[in-house]
Amino acid sequence: MNKQVIKLDKLTINKIAAGEVIERPASVVKELVENSIDAQSNKITINIQEGGKKLVEVIDNGIGMVSDDAKMSINRYTTSKIKDADDLFSIHSLGFRGEALASIVSVAQVEIITKTEETELGTHLIIEGGEVVSDKPTSAPKGTRISVKNLFFNVPVRRKFLKTIPTEVNHITEYVTKLALAYPNISFTLIHDSKNILTAPKGDLISQITAIFGENIAKACLPISKKENEYVVTGFITKPEFSRKSKDYLYIFVNGRAVANKTMSDAILRGYGTSIPQTRYPIIFLYFNLPPDEVDVNVHPTKKEIRFSSEAKVYSLIESAVRESLESSGLKIFETVIETRHKPTTLTSVETKKPEFTKRETSSPLSSRDKASYTIIRSKEQRIDKFLPMKDTAVDTEIKSIGEKRSIRVLGIIKDTYIIAETQEGLFLCDQHAAHEKINYEKYVNQIKKNSVSVQQLLAPVSINLKPSEFEMIESIKENLRLFGFEIEIFGKNEILIRSIPSVMGVSIEFNTAKDIIDIFKENISEIKEKVELEDLEVVKDIISIFACRRSIKAGDRITLERAELILKELLGLAEPFTCPHGRPTIIILNEEYIEELFKRDYR
Ligand SMILES: Nc1ncnc2c1ncn2[C@@H]1O[C@H](COP(=O)(O)OP(=O)(O)OP(=O)(O)O)[C@@H](O)[C@H]1O
Ligand SMILES: [Mg+2]
């Protein structure tokens, strides 16, 4: 066999490396802006076009580069920020790998204009395929302007995987928001397709928070400050009532770097104790500074993750700092008993109150007196085999046709949760919540399909302040949300008004529910934008079911027998009455044969 192993060419090597560093337009923004910060700029402007797919341009007023440095900077492993491996253990800049520009120039068309204080003329480079194709002196202000055009033009697979423009803009805006919070002494401006999305003039932290998040949040901020030897925590947290459904408002910075760190977020949540429900997260701006040699920032290609040399020390400092701040504002905080609270919630995990039936099992008189039959009734296999004709379409249609004119005699409701009724098919056990949810869901889906959702105009529209990334997103899907029955009006800078809601949700909504709705839309923006346009409701099924579920009768709600009968009749009139939108059974049928079997009558 001939020699097979070859050395890859420089462009290919850099393209492969770029795969790790540059995922999407927001990564380009991140790398360029971090370079501008490292270059001691105090004014940074970011221009993007088409969500950054067409253009990402960052202009700074930092120290700039001399011509030779500029040409050198686009190579791999070229940096001015570290000299050797020892420096890796004490990193004072955001960059250190000498990789970002090399990666960017290998996957986009790039132009650099840069000038230092000392030189009279600046340098203008045009780079194609990773190589400088034009190098001219130019007059320019002190600082650097780097324009990155047509990202992934030469990596079609990557380009294809980029998300919709609103999603990419959201990632970029969120990133710039973090940088603006991390560096309040730098002024940031973000412009998308000539529209100003975010302006954060330099000032103190609270003025940055006001500029980005609005006055309401700024006013709710409680200072946090604690020091232990060289570990220092500062920033602001907010009272528990400002909690959100999404984690997006946990802003954590370690030595000036926005990070996601489980130790820190767990410590924060523990600091809040039971004052915040387990499925919610506080709004927090937390800055943690420690000696650079006690934190490893080199554990992830995009430097988002970090590791501490003493996780326990960090945890206890942050937990107590949060608790003390809350307590000094007059709150009494109770500790949580569960170690790992705050598992991320999924759309499908909409809470339904668990009936007490299972909990009380041990004290049930049945369990001691007649354990055998009790177990039979609760046996899973039998339930599926015998009681649920769900999969059996023949039975399904049969029941449905009887459904219209069937006689249903509601015998009662147990635990204010399960309706018991007698019908021709046997004894029905119906979960009132699952049933009502299913009815509301089907109604709502049908209305959406016909584009005629019945809406409830709110007597008092709910106004919500959004951060710039959310605002852009919601604005971009405003029209799609009409289809769901939500009428949203843009109201001043970063503020929206919810004017109407789908009738299935009732006649009014609380402020916190309104915020949750925004979070739900945010989490599913690309589905809402793309799939609703294609009328592919399957993908947005979970969202629909959340809204449909809001006003449904819950387990534990007391309803009349007449209402129970109506619910059963309406349910049985549906095409698939036996499963709720979340896939749980709505009705369990104990047919005569089975009841006889339970009483051992079939062996007579
Ligand atoms: N906006 C800028 N102003 C001044 N110098 C810059 C600017 N951008 C890049 N440079 C110079 O180019 C070098 C290479 O930048 P690059 O982003 O590729 O690497 P890095 O920042 O050193 O490390 P990392 O890959 O971790 O970002 C930098 O070390 C810096 O000297
Ligand atoms: Mg860099």
Side-chain angles (χ1 to χ4, degrees):
M1 199 165 79
N2 290 332
K3 179 175 166 313
Q4 306 251 324
V5 179
I6 56 153
K7 183 161 170 49
L8 295 172
D9 64 72
K10 190 176 121 195
L11 182 62
T12 313
I13 294 174
N14 286 348
K15 267 195 194 177
I16 295 170
E20 293 221 312
V21 181
I22 307 297
E23 287 170 67
R24 58 190 338 151
S27 340
V28 176
V29 172
K30 170 183 187 293
E31 294 300 339
L32 295 184
V33 176
E34 287 190 354
N35 282 345
S36 299
I37 295 171
D38 284 344
Q40 298 153 36
S41 317
N42 61 20
K43 185 171 187 301
I44 300 174
T45 306
I46 304 123
N47 281 314
I48 53 172
Q49 284 173 12
E50 291 178 17
K53 297 182 203 182
K54 189 165 168 210
L55 174 76
V56 170
E57 180 175 72
V58 174
I59 307 162
D60 69 44
N61 64 352
I63 57 170
M65 287 177 273
V66 295
S67 176
D68 283 347
D69 278 352
K71 278 179 271 183
M72 179 83 146
S73 70
I74 60 165
N75 292 314
R76 208 151 138 76
Y77 310 130
T78 53
T79 180
S80 57
K81 300 171 191 175
I82 57 168
K83 299 246 158 357
D84 53 36
D86 286 347
D87 290 347
L88 271 181
F89 298 102
S90 128
I91 289 169
H92 293 274
S93 52
L94 293 167
F96 55 84
R97 307 156 305 180
E99 235 178 350
L101 287 184
S103 298
I104 295 170
V105 297
S106 72
V107 290
Q109 295 149 340
V110 178
E111 230 175 291
I112 301 178
I113 297 175
T114 182
K115 189 183 109 55
T116 62
E117 178 95 71
E118 298 77 23
T119 52
E120 201 172 314
L121 283 180
T123 307
H124 183 180
L125 301 179
I126 298 177
I127 302 133
E128 304 253 345
E131 300 294 339
V132 177
V133 293
S134 164
D135 168 11
K136 289 187 184 138
T138 183
S139 59
K142 176 193 150 231
T144 304
R145 167 197 294 248
I146 299 187
S147 319
V148 177
K149 294 173 198 157
N150 304 320
L151 182 65
F152 298 136
F153 77 101
N154 55 354
V155 200
V157 199
R158 272 273 159 130
R159 193 159 174 96
K160 218 170 78 194
F161 276 100
L162 290 179
K163 295 277 189 298
T164 56
I165 291 176
T167 309
E168 296 302 339
V169 173
N170 171 45
H171 284 286
I172 293 171
T173 313
E174 195 50 31
Y175 199 75
V176 177
T177 300
K178 285 181 182 157
L179 284 166
L181 288 170
Y183 296 90
N185 55 346
I186 300 178
S187 107
F188 288 91
T189 310
L190 170 64
I191 298 165
H192 178 230
D193 291 340
S194 316
K195 182 179 167 212
N196 188 327
I197 295 188
L198 186 149
T199 315
K202 57 182 173 181
D204 56 9
L205 179 57
I206 206 75
S207 61
Q208 291 283 31
I209 294 176
T210 315
I212 300 171
F213 298 88
E215 287 219 335
N216 289 347
I217 289 184
K219 274 193 208 137
C221 281
L222 307 169
I224 174 170
S225 163
K226 196 165 168 105
K227 189 169 184 290
E228 231 171 75
N229 304 322
E230 288 181 283
Y231 285 21
V232 186
V233 180
T234 53
F236 292 99
I237 67 173
T238 53
K239 284 192 174 175
E241 61 262 32
F242 286 85
S243 71
R244 299 287 297 231
K245 197 179 148 295
S246 107
K247 266 188 191 158
D248 292 359
Y249 279 78
L250 286 179
Y251 287 98
I252 306 176
F253 304 92
V254 174
N255 289 353
R257 205 183 285 280
V259 293
N261 178 264
K262 194 158 175 352
T263 305
M264 292 181 72
S265 53
D266 282 354
I268 292 168
L269 298 172
R270 208 168 158 85
Y272 272 86
T274 53
S275 68
I276 285 186
Q278 300 217 354
T279 49
R280 301 184 71 87
Y281 301 88
I283 299 179
I284 191 162
F285 309 98
L286 190 131
Y287 299 75
F288 179 40
N289 285 294
L290 74 170
D293 59 353
E294 296 200 30
V295 52
D296 186 357
V297 289
N298 199 15
V299 287
H300 188 268
T302 65
K303 305 174 214 157
K304 258 187 301 209
E305 285 168 28
I306 51 164
R307 205 174 290 142
F308 295 110
S309 59
S310 170
E311 302 272 331
K313 233 166 95 183
V314 173
Y315 189 98
S316 78
L317 175 70
I318 289 176
E319 182 199 350
S320 57
V322 168
R323 174 151 323 137
E324 283 163 22
S325 165
L326 290 170
E327 285 183 339
S328 66
S329 80
L331 280 169
K332 176 104 194 75
I333 300 297
F334 297 97
E335 277 190 34
T336 34
V337 266
I338 311 157
E339 225 19 78
T340 52
R341 45 174 264 163
H342 283 275
K343 276 198 223 108
T345 45
T346 59
L347 275 175
T348 41
S349 66
V350 175
E351 284 162 60
T352 44
K353 198 173 138 198
K354 247 195 165 162
E356 289 176 350
F357 210 61
T358 40
K359 279 190 242 153
R360 298 227 181 119
E361 208 173 288
T362 42
S363 63
S364 157
L366 255 182
S367 58
S368 52
R369 263 193 244 148
D370 190 348
K371 213 163 183 174
S373 63
Y374 187 63
T375 332
I376 290 171
I377 289 175
R378 297 187 43 76
S379 143
K380 252 206 167 117
E381 305 85 283
Q382 293 201 4
R383 221 165 62 190
I384 287 157
D385 292 352
K386 304 223 173 207
F387 307 152
L388 284 181
M390 278 191 312
K391 304 268 171 286
D392 187 343
T393 37
V395 185
D396 206 350
T397 28
E398 187 192 327
I399 292 186
K400 197 191 155 223
S401 61
I402 311 166
E404 273 110 50
K405 39 190 171 352
R406 73 170 56 236
S407 70
I408 294 174
R409 193 160 68 95
V410 175
L411 305 174
I413 301 169
I414 42 174
K415 298 278 173 192
D416 284 328
T417 299
Y418 303 107
I419 305 168
I420 305 185
E422 186 189 5
T423 72
Q424 292 96 318
E425 294 78 31
L427 198 63
F428 275 25
L429 271 180
C430 170
D431 178 328
Q432 67 183 37
H433 170 68
H436 196 224
E437 187 178 58
K438 173 75 176 185
I439 294 167
N440 283 339
Y441 173 80
E442 289 296 331
K443 260 192 212 157
Y444 191 32
V445 167
N446 277 333
Q447 291 173 358
I448 294 176
K449 276 189 188 149
K450 291 188 196 135
N451 200 358
S452 65
V453 171
S454 121
V455 299
Q456 174 67 46
Q457 296 292 334
L458 297 176
L459 278 178
V462 181
S463 112
I464 307 178
N465 264 91
L466 301 176
K467 57 179 173 175
S469 58
E470 293 172 333
F471 184 79
E472 281 306 305
M473 246 179 351
I474 297 298
E475 195 183 13
S476 73
I477 53 169
K478 212 179 96 190
E479 289 310 312
N480 307 63
L481 300 186
R482 269 179 201 278
L483 191 72
F484 289 95
F486 291 95
E487 195 191 325
I488 284 170
E489 191 182 304
I490 303 302
F491 191 67
K493 192 165 162 44
N494 294 344
E495 198 176 343
I496 58 161
L497 278 186
I498 301 188
R499 287 210 170 270
S500 78
I501 56 172
S503 304
V504 280
M505 292 189 74
V507 292
S508 64
I509 46 167
E510 285 175 5
F511 185 61
N512 276 336
T513 315
K515 283 192 301 185
D516 287 358
I517 291 170
I518 299 299
D519 284 340
I520 292 165
F521 287 144
K522 241 172 61 186
E523 283 161 21
N524 298 282
I525 179 166
S526 39
E527 281 79 6
I528 291 174
K529 182 112 189 121
E530 287 165 19
K531 306 297 176 182
V532 171
E533 270 168 12
L534 299 173
E535 293 192 16
D536 180 359
L537 294 183
E538 194 51 34
V539 183
V540 285
K541 210 175 111 187
D542 289 335
I543 306 176
I544 298 176
S545 73
I546 289 178
F547 299 142
C549 169
R550 284 269 164 189
R551 292 284 297 180
S552 299
I553 296 167
K554 300 278 180 295
D557 288 350
R558 183 145 300 178
I559 57 169
T560 62
L561 297 187
E562 290 74 24
R563 178 103 197 258
E565 187 180 324
L566 281 178
I567 287 176
L568 266 177
K569 283 202 165 142
E570 209 171 336
L571 179 67
L572 290 164
L574 299 176
E576 283 172 46
F578 297 104
T579 24
C580 85
H582 309 294
R584 288 194 301 115
T586 53
I587 295 178
I588 289 172
I589 305 169
L590 304 168
N591 62 16
E592 205 180 334
E593 202 182 306
Y594 181 71
I595 296 172
E596 282 178 352
E597 191 187 314
L598 284 181
F599 286 103
K600 315 247 180 279
R601 278 183 171 259
D602 46 347
Y603 302 117
R604 270 175 300 181

